[in-house]
Amino acid sequence: MRSISSLTGRLAAFVLACASLPALAAEPPPIFVLNSLDATVSVIEPVGWTEKTRIPTGKEPHHLYLTPDEHSLIVANSAGDSLTFLDPRTAEVQRVVYGIIDPYHLRFSPDMKWFVTAGNRLNHVDLYRWDGKEPKLVKRIPTGKTPSHIWIDGKSTTAYVTMQDSDELIAVDLATQTIRWRTPTGPMPADIFGIHDGKTLLVGLTGSDGVQVFDVAGAQPKLVGKIATGKGAHAFRAGGDGGRSVFVSNRVANTISRIDLRTLQVTDTYPVPGGPDCMDVSADGKTLYVTSRWAKKLSVIDLASRKVVRQVNVGRSPHGVWTLDHAKS
């Protein structure tokens, strides 16, 4: 019969051997792609680069946003008048909130008290109070034609919204729920990106070939410049490099430009086929995920080589893209 000490020794050796094995890596969170014409979300597994599943949503999901507590990813279904809440880690459907009228674009204020949506087809901006669980409508504000994208300043005082078909930028005062000012832009303004502590706004011109620069530090806005990027300048994404740059997708030119935020000059250009639209950046800042709107694909760009290294088939008219494992700024 083996001695107790012998068995103890073998057990200790086994435990030591197990401890020396490499730990199994946790499965990374999925990449979500909104298929606007299919009313679905593609859930992409970013190791084998396969589409794990497609989740039904309301009609025309275009944009998405993480809740302040980071427990839910909100998909805004503009023609479905609803919000679909997904688990950002598992892609499980948590709930659907109905009665949110025409939520094309959406954004939380930095203080997490306001939830703002742009009604693209119905020409209004809705201001909701957010109590951590439910949006409660405070004011519906009539705007110009086709509200497109929203950006909210760092102090949570002002929501800036582009008017795609009346070629305007408006500023909405959140305290009074009124329009503070409106100013003309170039053709078909789309996404907005704030820099210089919110004193400067970049506005992508989908109907032109670049980005307009507005000084909004004073009582009235001033157009102070334009950055040539490419035809169909549309969406922005922070560069993942600590606030030094921003990407803009040029949907018609089939390129993405990187803009240096100190010089406001284009420093890099990346060719991307199929009408590049929304973007996200990997946590290490090395990879750019882009929806190719007209090609029904998610394009993956290696930023060092400036090349598309893979594409994943998704649904029709892919628009918003997001993953929890992304660069913060």
Side-chain angles (χ1 to χ4, degrees), residues 51 70 77 120 256 277 283 312:
E51 183 186 49
E70 299 188 356
N77 311 306
N120 190 259
I256 289 172
D277 204 312
V312 181

Side-chain angles (χ1 to χ4, degrees), residues 100-131:
I100 307 298
I101 306 302
D102 192 17
Y104 174 76
H105 199 252
L106 69 166
R107 185 173 287 273
F108 283 96
S109 60
D111 65 6
M112 309 305 179
K113 295 180 179 179
W114 291 99
F115 177 65
V116 183
T117 63
N120 190 259
R121 77 181 190 278
L122 297 178
N123 301 331
H124 66 243
V125 168
D126 281 350
L127 306 182
Y128 296 86
R129 278 291 186 183
W130 178 258
D131 63 2

Side-chain angles (χ1 to χ4, degrees), residues 54-77:
R54 287 191 191 180
I55 302 170
T57 63
K59 291 182 180 179
E60 293 191 24
H62 287 287
H63 296 99
L64 64 177
Y65 210 90
L66 190 66
T67 56
D69 61 11
E70 299 188 356
H71 289 166
S72 302
L73 181 64
I74 301 177
V75 176
N77 311 306

Side-chain angles (χ1 to χ4, degrees), residues 1-19:
M1 183 175 180
R2 294 175 182 172
S3 67
I4 297 296
S5 61
S6 175
L7 290 174
T8 302
R10 289 175 180 270
L11 180 60
F14 176 76
V15 171
L16 182 62
C18 289

Side-chain angles (χ1 to χ4, degrees), residues 139-213:
K139 186 72 174 290
R140 175 163 293 151
I141 302 174
T143 61
K145 293 181 180 179
T146 322
S148 182
H149 287 66
I150 307 160
W151 187 79
I152 302 176
D153 72 318
K155 296 181 180 179
S156 301
T157 62
T158 308
Y160 300 95
V161 189
T162 51
M163 301 294 118
Q164 181 177 310
D165 290 329
S166 56
D167 300 338
E168 296 174 296
L169 172 67
I170 68 170
V172 176
D173 184 277
L174 294 177
T176 63
Q177 297 95 53
T178 58
I179 296 176
R180 184 183 300 162
W181 51 251
R182 65 176 64 236
T183 191
T185 68
M188 294 183 67
D191 205 1
I192 316 170
F193 191 82
I195 60 174
H196 303 156
D197 293 327
K199 297 177 182 179
T200 305
L201 298 183
L202 306 181
V203 175
L205 300 179
T206 304
S208 184
D209 60 355
V211 172
Q212 285 185 315
V213 184

Side-chain angles (χ1 to χ4, degrees), residues 122-323:
L122 297 178
N123 301 331
H124 66 243
V125 168
D126 281 350
L127 306 182
Y128 296 86
R129 278 291 186 183
W130 178 258
D131 63 2
K133 295 180 180 179
E134 301 293 338
K136 294 180 173 61
L137 183 64
V138 174
K139 186 72 174 290
R140 175 163 293 151
I141 302 174
T143 61
K145 293 181 180 179
T146 322
S148 182
H149 287 66
I150 307 160
W151 187 79
I152 302 176
D153 72 318
K155 296 181 180 179
S156 301
T157 62
T158 308
Y160 300 95
V161 189
T162 51
M163 301 294 118
Q164 181 177 310
D165 290 329
S166 56
D167 300 338
E168 296 174 296
L169 172 67
I170 68 170
V172 176
D173 184 277
L174 294 177
T176 63
Q177 297 95 53
T178 58
I179 296 176
R180 184 183 300 162
W181 51 251
R182 65 176 64 236
T183 191
T185 68
M188 294 183 67
D191 205 1
I192 316 170
F193 191 82
I195 60 174
H196 303 156
D197 293 327
K199 297 177 182 179
T200 305
L201 298 183
L202 306 181
V203 175
L205 300 179
T206 304
S208 184
D209 60 355
V211 172
Q212 285 185 315
V213 184
F214 287 89
D215 179 348
V216 293
Q220 292 295 318
K222 298 177 182 178
L223 176 62
V224 294
K226 182 180 176 182
I227 307 166
T229 59
K231 290 184 178 179
H234 188 74
F236 293 105
R237 174 58 169 91
D241 53 7
R244 295 191 297 274
S245 70
V246 64
F247 295 106
V248 58
S249 57
N250 307 304
R251 211 157 64 178
V252 178
N254 287 322
T255 62
I256 289 172
S257 301
R258 187 197 287 265
I259 298 172
D260 185 307
L261 294 181
R262 295 163 297 183
T263 65
L264 295 184
Q265 299 292 320
V266 173
T267 57
D268 285 301
T269 300
Y270 310 83
V272 183
D277 204 312
C278 292
M279 301 164 283
D280 206 356
V281 182
S282 63
D284 60 10
K286 296 180 179 180
T287 307
L288 188 64
Y289 310 123
V290 186
T291 49
S292 287
R293 189 75 180 271
W294 318 132
K296 298 192 294 185
K297 295 182 186 297
L298 171 69
S299 296
V300 181
I301 301 170
D302 175 69
L303 292 173
S305 65
R306 298 180 176 84
K307 293 181 179 179
V308 175
V309 293
R310 60 177 53 87
Q311 290 187 305
V312 181
N313 292 329
V314 293
R316 293 183 299 162
S317 194
H319 200 170
V321 57
W322 183 89
T323 180

